[in-house]
Amino acid sequence: MSLLPPHLQHLQHLQGDDLKSAIQLEYRTQAIAFIVRQTDYTEETATERLDELKDPVKVVQAYLGLNKVAHDVNDKDTHAFKSKNQLKYGEIRKFMDAGAKQYNAQKELNERRKKYQEYLEQQQQQQQQQQQEQQPTPPHTDLNSIQ
């Protein structure tokens, strides 16, 4: 009993590099067939697009317009369209982040104000102490000597 599916029985006798290259060729053939079934591309066009995008699913997605696909595959600015749900949650996240940022900024500002106010009070206390120390003390009179 063979473990390979019927369409791969011809690979059963291969080993090593021959098996590896045969599997890669079979994968490529299956991928091109998949692309042709899912699109109206010819085999040549499907082969070109597969060489360009390196993934049969991405080729079909590009055909259906589900992904923005730049002509330059190495372009890092390409990104998929977002669903309405993703856009909604993205906006909620932006709103929550803005609120948290504003809250943290206000909290930090209040802490700075409190520290500055404590600093001013400390300075005022030091000035009062210095003034008290600088005032001459009245001569000490002995109440017994007044009589």
Side-chain angles (χ1 to χ4, degrees):
M1 184 184 259
S2 175
L3 298 176
L4 293 174
H7 69 281
L8 297 177
Q9 290 294 324
H10 65 280
L11 302 177
Q12 188 171 0
H13 67 280
L14 299 175
Q15 293 181 348
D17 289 338
D18 292 335
L19 178 61
K20 187 176 180 179
S21 62
I23 289 173
Q24 288 173 343
L25 180 62
E26 184 65 30
Y27 172 78
R28 185 171 176 77
T29 305
Q30 293 293 326
I32 292 171
F34 169 76
I35 294 168
V36 169
R37 281 193 312 270
Q38 299 297 322
T39 66
D40 62 357
Y41 289 160
T42 62
E43 284 190 25
E44 294 81 25
T45 308
T47 303
E48 290 172 8
R49 294 294 285 166
L50 183 60
D51 289 340
E52 181 182 339
L53 298 175
K54 309 285 189 232
D55 183 12
V57 175
K58 288 183 180 178
V59 173
V60 173
Q61 287 177 341
Y63 172 79
L64 295 174
L66 298 177
N67 285 340
K68 287 185 181 179
V69 179
H71 295 291
D72 182 13
V73 178
N74 296 325
D75 186 11
K76 299 294 182 194
D77 293 333
T78 61
H79 62 280
F81 288 108
K82 292 184 178 181
S83 69
K84 288 182 181 180
N85 197 36
Q86 287 173 322
L87 292 172
K88 286 178 188 176
Y89 278 96
E91 289 300 316
I92 291 170
R93 183 78 252 156
K94 285 180 190 175
F95 178 76
M96 296 298 288
D97 287 345
K101 187 176 181 180
Q102 184 179 2
Y103 170 79
N104 288 335
Q106 186 65 37
K107 186 177 175 182
E108 184 178 333
L109 180 64
N110 288 340
E111 288 174 2
R112 285 184 180 178
R113 284 180 181 165
K114 184 177 178 181
K115 285 182 181 179
Y116 184 68
Q117 189 175 16
E118 289 172 358
Y119 170 76
L120 289 178
E121 288 174 0
Q122 187 180 20
Q123 290 292 334
Q124 189 177 18
Q125 287 176 358
Q126 286 178 355
Q127 285 178 356
Q128 287 176 355
Q129 285 178 354
Q130 287 177 355
Q131 285 177 358
Q132 287 177 356
E133 289 173 0
Q134 290 177 357
Q135 286 180 356
T137 57
H140 183 59
T141 55
D142 190 9
L143 293 177
N144 291 334
S145 63
I146 298 179
Q147 296 175 347

